[in-house]
C-alpha cells in the first residue's frame, strides 16, 4: 500500500475560548540579539498567531526554541535569538491555548489513540522493539518523498566506516533518495580517505586490516584536498573518484558540513563558525519533509532543534515532517525525546546494517 | 572465494624442552565433586597430555574450566567438577609449557601477524568497526558448515520479537543453516506467542500495537502448551503452526531450552535444573563447529564456557570452532572476552537486522 | 525529614459499578500445572476479589503473573502455574474493574499528579537525570526499613569486583541495612575468591593487577568450599574470613543463591533447579518491603516478577514495596519497566559508586 | 603514600642506529594551510628531531596530528595544518625510529611490565572493572597537582544537571582542584539555569519535578545574560549568585566555552568559530598536567587531540600528562583509545557520582 500524506486537521477557531482570544502582542527588540521580556519561544508544533478579527496566521518556517518576529508587511518570521535586530517586533506570551493570542496546535495530524490499560508490557522503545514495520514504512515514505518531498540526511562518520554501508549511501544518492546532507568534517574526511586509501581512520573499510602508517591517511586526505582548493576541484581533477561526497557532487546535491572542535584540517567546505553553520543547515532543514539522522548525536540534536514537526507546502497544504533517528543506544534516542523532539521515531541498530537494509529494500522496488 | 579450513599446526614435540617433559601426573578424587589439590583446569585451547615415552594425547571434547580425568582404559575426559566421582584420576599441574607434562597449544591455526606500529588508531572493536567482511565471511563459512559442520545457534528472545527476523530464522532453519539451538524458556514462549497471537510480550511483532490484554498472551501460550503436554504435541495437533520452534520440529533438529529464575511456566521441554541443562547443552556444544550467539548474554556466556576453540573430527583432523557473538553493546562483547573466550568474534548490531541480512545473503547463494 | 509511609487509599466499594459487581468465579484445575481457561493472572497491584455480599478480599502475598487459588477454608493464595494441583479452584476473569468480581487497584498510594504541558523536556529517565534526591530518599527509607521493614538486596557479581564496594556491602550488612540477599553463584564465588585471593576473576580487587594463574582463583575457591562441604563450614573453620557472604553468615541473615547455566562449581548452597530457586526466592520476596537490585539483569527481573507493589503487614495495614534498580544502561532499566514492573525506580550509575555513596551516607546518620 | 612524578627516561641517542641518524629534513609551505608532501604528523609521545651533529631537540608543546615548523631562530613549533603560512619550513618523514631524523619516544616513563600468560581473564576495561584505586590515585595526584601542576577539567552538561554534583564542582573549584575548564555553551547555560531557576532543561536539579513552563528556563537564562552583556556582568550585578561558572568567576579561573551547532543563544563568552575555539583551548591544554574529562564525548575527544602525553616543565623536566575520561559507556571510553589517545585512563560511571565521591575524598584530606 502506497504512502499517503495524513490529512492536516486545522484548529477549530470557532471553538471557545478561541473566538474570544486576544490579539497576539508584540514588543520591540531594544538591543540586537536580546529578546524582550516574556517573549514567546516556538515549539515543534504548528503555531497560530491571532493578528486580529479572528485572523489566525500559521508560522511557515518554524523551528524549536526560536522567537517570532513580525516583518513590517505583517508576515511572521521565526528567528534565532542572536539574529534579532534592534527595533524588530517580537511576539510575547507563554500561554499555548490562545489566552495570549497564540495557539500551539498539538493535534495536527490524525492518529489512532493508544490502547490504554491498567497494566501493560513494553511501553518503552528499546533495542528489542520490533523494527520490521519501520523499514517497510520507510520504503513507502521514501518512495513518496523521492518524487514529492525533500529527503534530508544527517550522517555521522560511522556511516562511511564500512564498505557496504558507504556503497549503500552512494546507491541511495544515485537513486534519488537523498536530497541534501547535513554532516561534519569527519564524515567527509573519512569518506575521502576511503576514496583515496580504502581506509577509515587508517583501517581498511572492508578487510579491517590496519594499514601501515594508516594514521596518516585522514591527514593526507585533508592535505590533498586543501591543496586542490576544494572537494569540488578534487573531484573535477579526478583525485576523488568515488564515495558519498563524490556522489553528491555528481548529482549536484546540497550539503552542509558544520565544523566542530574535534576537527582536523578542516576541509575547505567546512563552515567553521557554528552560527553560520546553523544558518546554512536551516536553509536545508526549511526544505526538508523527511529527515533521516544516522549515528550522530551532535548533528541529530542540532537538526532536531532546527526542524518543526510540520511543513507548509507552497500551495498552502500542511504536512508532517518525518524524523528518524538511527542509533545504537537508548540513551541517544531518548536524548532527542528529552530535548522536546517528541515526534522523532527511533530505530535502534547499527548504522551500517540500517543503510544496507534500506538500500536493498528501496532498490527492489 | 569458498571457505577452506585453516590448517592445524600441531606442536613440535621434538622442540626443547618438550622432549624432556615429565609424564603428566594424576591424583585420585577423594570425595565426589571435589578435585584434588593442584588440579589442572582446561582452557579453550588444544591441550596435550604427556602419557609417557613422548606419547602426547590431545583432549578430544574439551571445554573451559573443566578438569581432566583419565578413564581406566587410558583415554582422557574433560569433566565438570560436580561430575567428579570418588576414585577418578584427575590431571595435576598448572604449567602450560610441558613442565608438568601438559602443553597448552595457543598457536594452533595459522594467522597473519598483526601490523605493529608505535602509534595506531582503532585498536578496539566497537559499533563503528566495519562489519561487511564479517557477513561475507559468514556466508562462506555457513555454506561450508551447512554441508560439513554443525552450526549451533544461541538465541535470546529478541530474535523472535520482530516478524522479519523471526521469519529469517525460520528460513535459515529450512535452508539447513541451523543444526541445533540453545536458548531459554523465553525464546520459545515468545515464539509460540507469535504463532498463537502474532505478538511478543503482548505487542504485535509487526505493527508494534499493544494488544488488548496482551500481557496475557505469553501466559496463555504457556498454559496452552502445558495443557497439550509438550511443544511437540502442540505442533502435532496444529495448535502451533509457524515460527522457530515449529521449524525446528519440522526439521527434527535438536535444541536445549535451559531454565532460568526469570521463567514463567515453564514450557514442558525446559530443563529446570541448570546442571542437567549444562549437560544437555554440552551434548550439543560437543558437536558444534560454528556457534552463532545472538542477543543473549546469559546463554552466550554459558555456551562460551562449554565450547573450546577447536574440534577433533572423527578422522582425527583438528579444526577451529568459530564463535560469533552478536550484540548491541561493547560491554556484552567484552564480557565474553573477559571470560577468556578470546576467540569469539563480535558483531555489534541489532539482532533483528543481523538475522535479516544474514538470511538474505545466504538465500542469494 | 524522616520517612513516613504513604497512606493506603483502599478502593471505594460503594462507588458504582462496584456495588453491582458479580461474585468472582472460580474453576477447577483439571490437570496439575495447567490453569483453567480464562484464568485471571495477577499484576503488581493490590487486587480485590468479590467473594459475595460485598465482601471483597485483598490478595495477601501476591506476585506478577501468578494465578489465584481459593483454599478450602476460603482464603486466596497466589500460585505459580506449575504449582497448581488438580482440583484446586482458580479465579477466572480478565476484567480489572469489578465486572467479573475482580478489582485491580492501581491508585493505591497518594501521589502528586504530574505537571502536564503541551511541550516539555526531559520526560524520560536517563543517565543524565538528577539522582541526588534518590540517595537522600534512600537514606530516609532505609533508616526506616532498618527498624520497621525488610530490606532485600539483589546483587550481581560486579558488586564484589571492587574492594571499596565489597567493603561497603559488608558495612551495610553489619549496620543492619541488609535483611536478605538474592544472588547467583557468581556473586558468592567471587566474594569468596576475594576473601581467599584478593582477586575477582583473577584480577586484584584493588590494584587491578592480573594475578599469576589468576584464572584458577575462582575455581580454587569453589573447590575449597566444596571440599569443606558448605560455605558455612568454610567460615566456621576460618577458611573464609571476610566479605559479603561472611558478613551474612556472621549476622545469620537469609539468602538465596539461584543457579544459572553460566555457573562453574557450583557452591554447595546454590539451588540448581530454577523452580525450587524461585520458591526459595519468593520466601524472601514475600517478606520484602524494600528491594535494592544492583547490577544484575537476570536477578532483578526475576525478583521483579516475584514482588508486588504492596505488602499487607501482619496488622492488616497495606504499604508500598519500594523497588530500586541500579544499573549502567537505560536498556536494563527499561527492561524492567517493559516487563510491567512499573513501580521500579532506576538509578543509572556504576554499582560500585552507588554502594560506596550509599554506605557513606547511611554511616553518617 | 604521596604522589611522586615518575622519572622521565630519555632515549639513549648513543644506541644504534640513532648515532647514524640523518638530520631531520624540512620543506617549505608553498601555499598557506597546506603541508608539503611527506610531512611528519605528531603523536602524543615525546618526539625528538635531529638538527645536526647529534643534537636532538624535543618538541615542547606538542599535540596529536599536528605538523612541526622550524622557526627562523631554529626552535620547533607544533602547528595545526590550517595555521601553516607560506614559506614556513615543515618537518618531513614518517619513520619513527630515527631513520629520517625523527625519533618517537614511546617508552618515556617507567612502567611495570604486564603479566603475560597464555590464558587470562579480564583483559578489557569495562564497567565491572574495579575503580577504587583510581579514586585513591586521583586523590594523591590532584593533591600534588593542586600545588604543582595545572588541573584542566573538561565537562559535559550532565555535570550540572544534579544538585550534589554541581555543588561538588563548586567545592572543588574553591578548594583549588580546578585550574581551568573546557566546555560548551550547554554546560554554562544549564549551570546558569540552575542559578536562576534551580532547574536544568526545565527539571528541578534536586527534586526532578518538571517546572511549569520549564522549557523556557534555559532560553530565559540565555536571554538574561545576553542582555547583561556577559556572564561576568551577570555575576557582578548579582543576577547569577552560585554555580560552576560563578565559582570560576570568583576564583578568576580561565575557561573556554566552545560553540557547537546544537547551541541555543549562545552565551556571549562562547567562541562560535571552532578553529578559534581550538586555539583558545590549546592555550589551556598547553598548560595542563592533568585533564579530567567528564560526560562529554565531543569535548573529551577534542581535548584528547590537543594534548600530548607529556609536558616539558619550565626547568626542562619532562613529566607525564594524566588524562582521565569519565563516562557511562565502554564505547565512549574506547572512542578515545581508538583515536590514538592511548594514555587515557577510563572510569566508567555516572558523572554525578564520580564528582560527589571525588569531592568528598579530597575534602577529607
Amino acid at each position: 500500500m502506497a504512502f499517503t500524506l495524513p490529512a492536516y486537521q486545522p484548529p477549530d477557531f470557532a471553538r471557545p475560548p478561541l473566538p474570544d482570544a486576544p490579539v497576539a502582542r508584540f514588543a520591540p527588540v531594544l538591543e540586537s540579539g536580546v529578546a524582550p521580556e516574556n517573549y514567546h519561544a516556538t515549539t515543534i508544533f504548528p503555531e497560530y498567531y491571532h493578528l486580529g478579527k479572528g485572523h489566525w496566521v500559521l508560522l511557515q518556517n518554524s523551528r524549536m526554541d526560536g522567537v517570532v518576529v513580525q516583518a513590517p508587511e505583517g508576515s511572521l518570521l521565526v528567528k534565532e535569538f542572536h539574529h534579532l535586530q534592534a527595533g524588530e517586533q517580537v511576539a510575547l506570551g507563554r500561554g499555548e491555548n490562545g489566552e495570549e493570542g497564540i495557539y500551539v496546535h498539538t493535534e495536527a495530524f490524525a492518529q489512532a489513540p493508544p490502547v490504554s490499560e491498567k497494566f501493560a508490557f513494553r511501553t518503552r522503545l528499546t533495542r528489542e522493539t520490533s523494527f520490521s514495520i519501520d523499514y517497510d514504512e520507510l520504503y513507502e515514505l521514501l518512495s513518496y518523498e523521492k518524487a514529492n518531498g525533500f529527503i534530508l540526511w544527517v550522517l555521522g562518520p560511522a556511516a562511511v566506516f564500512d564498505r557496504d554501508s558507504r556503497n549503500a549511501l552512494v546507491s541511495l544518492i544515485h537513486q534519488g533518495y537523498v536530497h541534501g546532507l547535513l554532516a561534519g568534517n569527519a564524515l567527509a574526511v573519512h569518506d575521502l580517505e576511503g576514496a583515496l586509501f580504502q581506509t577509515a581512520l587508517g583501517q581498511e573499510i572492508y578487510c579491517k586490516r590496519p594499514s601501515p602508517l594508516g594514521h596518516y591517511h585522514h591527514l593526507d586526505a585533508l592535505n590533498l584536498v586543501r591543496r586542490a582548493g576544494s572537494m569540488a576541484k578534487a573531484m573535477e581533477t579526478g583525485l576523488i573518484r568515488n564515495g558519498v561526497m563524490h556522489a553528491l557532487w555528481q548529482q549536484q546535491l546540497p550539503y552542509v558540513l558544520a565544523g566542530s572542535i574535534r576537527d582536523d584540517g578542516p576541509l575547505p567546505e567546512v563552515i567553521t563558525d557554528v552560527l553560520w553553520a546553523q544558518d546554512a543547515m536551516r536553509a536545508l532543514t526549511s526544505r526538508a519533509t523527511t529527515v533521516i539522522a544516522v549515528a550522530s548525536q551532535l548533528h541529530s540534536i542540532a537538526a532536531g532543534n532546527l526542524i518543526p514537526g510540520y511543513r507548509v507546502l507552497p500551495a498552502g497544504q500542511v504536512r508532517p515532517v518525518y524524523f528518524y533517528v538511527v542509533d545504537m543506544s537508548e540513551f541517544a534516542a531518548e536524548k532527542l525525546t528529552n530535548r522536546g523532539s517528541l515526534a522523532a521515531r527511533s530505530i535502534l541498530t547499527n548504522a551500517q546494517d540500517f543503510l544496507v537494509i534500506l538500500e536493498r529494500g528501496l532498490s527492489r522496488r
Side-chain angles (χ1 to χ4, degrees), chain A:
Chain A
M1 68 201 153
F3 173 81
T4 50
L5 276 178
Y8 180 65
Q9 300 173 328
D12 181 359
F13 290 109
R15 197 178 52 192
L18 293 183
D20 301 325
V23 169
R25 286 180 305 124
F26 292 81
V29 172
L30 300 180
E31 189 182 350
S32 291
V34 180
E37 219 171 319
N38 198 33
Y39 62 86
H40 179 86
T42 53
T43 64
I44 58 164
F45 299 110
E47 299 191 1
Y48 287 85
Y49 289 70
H50 187 204
L51 299 187
K53 300 181 183 171
H55 179 51
W56 291 84
V57 171
L58 173 62
L59 295 181
Q60 296 287 316
N61 177 16
S62 193
R63 58 158 290 171
M64 192 168 78
D65 288 347
V67 279
V68 178
V69 168
Q70 189 162 33
E73 83 284 5
S75 70
L76 299 177
L77 304 174
V78 179
K79 286 195 163 192
E80 287 79 15
F81 286 76
H82 64 89
H83 280 313
L84 289 175
Q85 297 299 319
E88 288 186 323
Q89 294 289 323
V90 169
L92 304 182
R94 297 182 172 185
E96 298 167 332
N97 295 307
E99 60 274 57
E100 296 173 276
I102 300 172
Y103 185 78
V104 178
H105 186 38
T106 53
E107 319 276 302
F109 302 100
Q111 271 195 324
V115 173
S116 179
E117 299 193 6
K118 285 188 172 183
F119 187 70
F121 288 151
R122 301 187 74 185
T123 53
R124 297 290 176 78
L125 181 140
T126 76
R127 60 194 64 181
E128 296 190 342
T129 299
S130 167
F131 294 111
S132 291
I133 196 174
D134 297 289
Y135 283 107
D136 288 347
E137 287 179 352
L138 264 173
Y139 303 149
E140 299 295 339
L141 174 63
L142 295 186
S143 298
Y144 176 87
E145 297 287 49
K146 176 181 176 176
N148 302 286
F150 188 96
I151 308 170
L152 182 62
W153 288 73
V154 182
L155 294 176
V160 296
F161 276 15
D162 173 65
R163 188 196 65 177
D164 287 0
S165 67
R166 186 169 174 266
N167 288 347
L169 273 169
V170 169
S171 166
L172 289 168
I173 292 168
H174 288 310
Q175 288 186 63
Y177 292 110
V178 177
H179 298 138
L181 172 68
L182 305 180
N185 186 58
L187 179 278
V189 169
H190 296 302
D191 179 57
L192 302 175
E193 180 188 343
L196 289 163
F197 305 105
Q198 293 78 54
T199 61
L201 268 175
Q203 189 178 63
E204 290 186 26
I205 63 174
Y206 180 64
C207 292
K208 293 198 266 200
R209 278 189 298 252
S211 218
L213 290 174
H215 64 92
Y216 274 97
H217 285 181
H218 73 290
L219 298 175
D220 283 347
L222 280 162
N223 201 48
L224 287 167
V225 173
R226 288 173 66 90
R227 178 178 298 157
S230 69
M231 278 193 285
K233 284 191 190 141
M235 287 159 189
E236 287 159 15
T237 60
L239 177 66
I240 304 296
R241 294 171 183 277
N242 63 55
V244 171
M245 300 313 297
H246 187 261
L248 292 175
W249 170 76
Q250 285 182 304
Q251 299 291 342
Q252 304 195 39
L253 293 169
Y255 60 83
V256 175
L257 301 182
S260 99
I261 51 173
R262 267 177 307 203
D263 294 349
D264 289 311
L267 290 168
E269 279 84 352
V270 168
I271 303 175
T272 59
D273 189 293
V274 294
L275 299 185
W276 298 359
Q278 282 181 353
D279 290 348
M281 291 170 72
R282 192 161 167 212
L284 288 187
T285 58
S286 69
R287 299 165 65 187
T289 55
T290 287
V291 180
I292 305 179
V294 182
S296 172
Q297 264 195 64
L298 172 61
H299 292 84
S300 295
I301 294 173
N305 288 346
L306 292 170
I307 296 176
Y310 70 104
R311 172 90 37 237
V312 185
L313 302 179
Q317 191 189 354
V318 183
R319 58 156 285 174
V321 172
Y322 295 94
F323 197 117
Y324 286 83
V325 177
V326 181
D327 206 283
M328 285 287 271
S329 85
E330 287 77 11
F331 173 57
E334 281 159 4
K335 197 146 187 166
L336 218 67
T337 300
N338 274 344
R339 290 282 307 163
S341 304
L342 306 162
R345 297 166 193 220
S346 298
I347 299 179
L348 290 163
T349 190
N350 187 298
Q352 303 171 10
D353 283 352
F354 170 78
L355 290 166
V356 165
I357 291 179
L358 189 71
E359 192 273 338
R360 287 184 193 166
L362 287 169
S363 298
R364 277 200 315 249
R365 296 180 74 83

